[in-house]
Amino acid sequence: MLTITLKSGKEKSLLRRHPWIFPTAIERVEGKPEEKTKSGVTALIQSASGQFLARAAFSPQSQIRARVWTFNDAEPIDHAMIKRRIKNAVAYRTASVRDTNAIRLVFGEADGFPGLVVDWYAGTQGHLVCQFQSAGVELWKKAIVQALIAETGCPNVYERSDASVREREGLPLVTGVLAGTEPGEETPVTENGVHYAVDIKTGHKTGFYIDQRDNRKLVMDHASGRDVLNCFCYTGGFSLAALKGDANSVISIDSSGDALAVGRRNMALNGFDETRAEWWDADVFKSLRALREQGKTFDLIILDPPKFAASPQHVERAARAYKDINLLGLQLLRGNGLLFTYSCSGAISADLFHKIIAGAANDAGVDARILRRLSAGIDHPMTTSFPEGEYLKGLLLQKI
Ligand code: SAH
């Protein structure tokens, strides 16, 4: 078996159960020549003194040189492990996720599958959509797909391994059918009574922002009679939730015409009164300023932008952008109005996000209070030892 021996002292993060091993921590890699270049092969990780630390998937081309499968010496990496972990992942979602047929079934490290994402749309007649984003899960792809079909009873599996992180693992970008039928252009899902059309083949991520389910529900519950502004609306997830919650009016802004077109179709799918909604194909930064100049105000504003900080070196610039939109958002709120504000940048911690928002309120000259801290839904768990897993964080603020 491939054996990776760490430098003296470099076992500390593994002893704290952090699941990644970087090249700088490695003293030597021993094994057969073909193993030493094989992407995804299982490696035994040991300390400089020869103590067992973990079994991990080796990724010879990646800056994350190995990702831990198990810290348990007694657990082999085999088909039984794959099946067991998929079974657990499915059982947990089945027990805890309600009122939707759009579910994150597997979420990377927290489900024991580093680099694997599986979303399940529309039940057994629908589709499982997978992203294999690391060498280990790529090598075990067939076994994972078989286990998914067996545990869910859904025969249709589609691959969306087209995220650029795969390139960092030396893996090509691929999409296509892994089992069963190909998804159509729109897969209909229903979440908390709202119908959405999901474009599995070309939509963002696997087609839908499943992670915002609880937050859409929260918006729905607070929307009645209110004038709503939804910034970075994509296909209108929050907008539709607000309309379902009897919002008085909803303005949705995004710079993608295609996404807005799906948003409008989603509105028709639900039979909502179209006169209550406007869809603006525009830049949010400019629109917020224009609205301020026009003296427009709203009762409820949602700011759910794209990942402004793609990596830690972008944090400062990202912080300025978050501050900018939140400052404008707070100014556009009426008294007692609500701001639902989010960051999906893993490099921005919840604490830092909180500080940025406090700075925005201060500079806007606005008093606001935090009603709730927000996060992704229960089907997006994170491991206790892996803070990188907490990418989505938000705050529900009320202007005083
Ligand atoms: N809130 C959405 C997801 C947002 S994804 C949901 O719940 O489904 C980020 C969106 O921001 C994308 O649709 C992208 O087109 C849009 N976007 C990125 N930069 C923008 C800008 N400067 N102005 C307007 N939209 C922008």
Side-chain angles (χ1 to χ4, degrees), residues 144-161:
I144 290 169
V145 169
Q146 277 170 359
L148 282 169
I149 294 172
E151 285 306 320
T152 60
C154 174
N156 308 312
V157 187
Y158 192 77
E159 177 168 20
R160 276 292 306 271
S161 298

Side-chain angles (χ1 to χ4, degrees), residues 160-336:
R160 276 292 306 271
S161 298
D162 53 352
S164 58
V165 285
R166 256 177 82 95
E167 288 170 340
R168 288 189 241 155
E169 293 277 305
L171 301 169
L173 305 189
V174 286
T175 59
V177 175
L178 291 172
T181 60
E182 188 170 6
E185 260 175 47
E186 290 180 357
T187 300
V189 299
T190 305
E191 176 194 281
N192 289 308
V194 183
H195 308 297
Y196 297 96
V198 177
D199 182 349
I200 288 174
K201 289 198 283 191
T202 62
H204 286 190
K205 303 213 223 185
T206 65
F208 192 53
Y209 286 87
I210 294 179
D211 52 0
Q212 292 284 26
R213 178 197 312 119
D214 293 354
N215 296 318
R216 283 188 284 269
K217 179 68 168 58
L218 207 56
V219 164
M220 190 188 296
D221 292 344
H222 286 88
S224 181
R226 293 185 144 140
D227 292 319
V228 175
L229 176 64
N230 180 15
C231 299
F232 309 97
C233 68
Y234 186 48
T235 52
F238 284 110
S239 313
L240 275 282
L243 289 166
K244 178 78 177 178
D246 285 326
N248 184 53
S249 70
V250 181
I251 295 177
S252 308
I253 310 178
D254 201 282
S255 56
S256 160
D258 289 346
L260 291 166
V262 178
R264 282 177 202 272
R265 278 209 300 288
N266 278 335
M267 195 166 57
L269 207 62
N270 287 276
F272 292 142
D273 171 8
E274 298 193 9
T275 60
R276 284 194 289 151
E278 290 177 33
W279 301 85
W280 294 5
D281 185 346
D283 176 75
V284 165
F285 294 85
K286 287 187 188 145
S287 302
L288 290 174
R289 286 193 164 73
L291 286 165
R292 185 176 62 181
E293 267 154 42
Q294 292 157 20
K296 292 265 167 52
T297 55
F298 299 87
D299 302 303
L300 193 162
I301 298 177
I302 300 134
L303 297 172
D304 181 29
K307 201 197 292 181
F308 285 155
S311 62
Q313 65 262 36
H314 298 126
V315 165
E316 220 170 290
R317 203 179 57 199
R320 280 198 294 276
Y322 285 119
K323 186 171 174 186
D324 187 33
I325 53 172
N326 280 283
L327 189 155
L328 290 160
L330 285 164
Q331 288 178 331
L332 290 173
L333 272 185
R334 293 174 192 153
N336 293 328

